[in-house]
Amino acid sequence: MIFVSSNKHKFLEISRMMENKGITVEWKRMKYEEIQADTTEEISLDSARKLSASIGEPFFLEDTGIFLDSLGGFPGPYSSYVQSKIGNSGILRLIEGRNRSAYFLTVITYFDGRLFHQFSGKLNGTIAQSERGNLGFGYDPIFIPDGFDITLGEMELESKNRISHRSKALQALVDYLLANHGI
Ligand code: ITT
């Protein structure tokens, strides 16, 4: 399976999950252009459509966002831009004194060589009072998954993989492949 992404952390999480299922993931490391759109689904699909013209064989990619309830779902599809401009400390300042509920959403788009298929995974949680942990990446140090009292930044990769948005979306893809192609 070819996975397209510029993000090493995503690849490490995905390849470990797939390894545990006996599937080898080949990392096509590249930065591709992402449109700015209202939904993660649209962004993920648009990227896959454009890349399919040059890749020409089955692959998958994913787009992920963090959605803060008290900010009407912001940054959501703008998560990458917001992370690079204001970072986790900026998010902590933005939601000071507000409801801290949030969720991660991952949308995988799989191109089977002809058609596109989407699979999503969600992880609910709350935004921590301060950054904690140096594991994971991106928003992990400020996100406490429901049912835990540590952030994703304090979780080993295997533990994050057991509960994450990304692993749920990936499991849906694997289920689809098993049902339709036998992998
Ligand atoms: P691609 O090349 O795969 O697009 P990217 O890092 O640009 O890699 P996204 O646009 O999907 O990926 O990510 C949006 C932002 O959300 C970005 O700042 C990531 O660091 C962050 N992010 C994505 N997945 C995350 C996760 O599991 N935990 C914490 N932050 C995450």
Side-chain angles (χ1 to χ4, degrees):
M1 285 295 293
I2 298 177
F3 172 61
V4 184
S5 175
S6 64
N7 188 319
K8 183 179 160 194
H9 301 277
K10 285 187 182 180
F11 169 68
L12 289 176
E13 291 180 12
I14 283 177
S15 60
R16 177 75 66 86
M17 270 182 274
M18 293 297 244
E19 207 175 280
N20 291 342
K21 299 174 197 296
I23 304 164
T24 307
V25 178
E26 186 189 320
W27 184 20
K28 195 170 179 56
R29 182 179 198 164
M30 61 182 284
K31 185 79 210 152
Y32 52 84
E33 211 181 299
E34 281 176 17
I35 53 160
Q36 206 60 269
D38 288 345
T39 68
T40 309
E41 284 80 1
E42 281 175 81
I43 298 171
S44 181
L45 181 60
D46 178 81
S47 304
R49 275 195 205 285
K50 286 176 181 152
L51 283 173
S52 66
S54 57
I55 296 182
E57 59 181 313
F59 68 88
F60 70 103
L61 52 75
E62 59 103 304
D63 194 59
T64 295
I66 190 168
F67 297 73
L68 276 66
D69 288 354
S70 59
L71 301 181
F74 183 83
Y78 307 97
S79 294
S80 187
Y81 181 77
V82 167
Q83 177 64 231
S84 67
K85 294 293 174 197
I86 62 171
N88 290 334
S89 56
I91 293 284
L92 292 175
R93 275 194 303 276
L94 274 181
I95 62 155
E96 237 172 61
R98 297 175 186 247
N99 175 330
R100 308 185 83 84
S101 316
Y103 65 89
F104 272 113
L105 175 69
T106 292
V107 178
I108 289 179
T109 301
Y110 165 61
F111 175 60
D112 67 8
R114 201 167 65 89
L115 301 169
F116 298 88
H117 310 269
Q118 290 199 304
F119 308 92
S120 59
K122 193 175 172 188
L123 177 65
N124 290 314
T126 51
I127 301 299
Q129 295 294 336
S130 60
E131 295 188 54
R132 278 166 24 204
N134 54 12
L135 301 171
F137 66 101
Y139 296 98
D140 283 343
I142 58 166
F143 188 86
I144 302 172
D146 281 354
F148 292 80
D149 52 15
I150 58 172
T151 68
L152 288 177
E154 295 172 300
M155 266 188 203
E156 296 295 340
L157 186 146
E158 286 277 359
S159 309
K160 179 179 173 188
N161 273 354
R162 271 197 283 277
I163 59 166
S164 80
H165 39 295
R166 180 161 297 107
S167 65
K168 288 175 187 160
L170 199 65
Q171 186 59 52
L173 167 64
V174 170
D175 290 347
Y176 172 82
L177 292 173
L178 281 171
N180 292 275
H181 305 273
I183 299 192

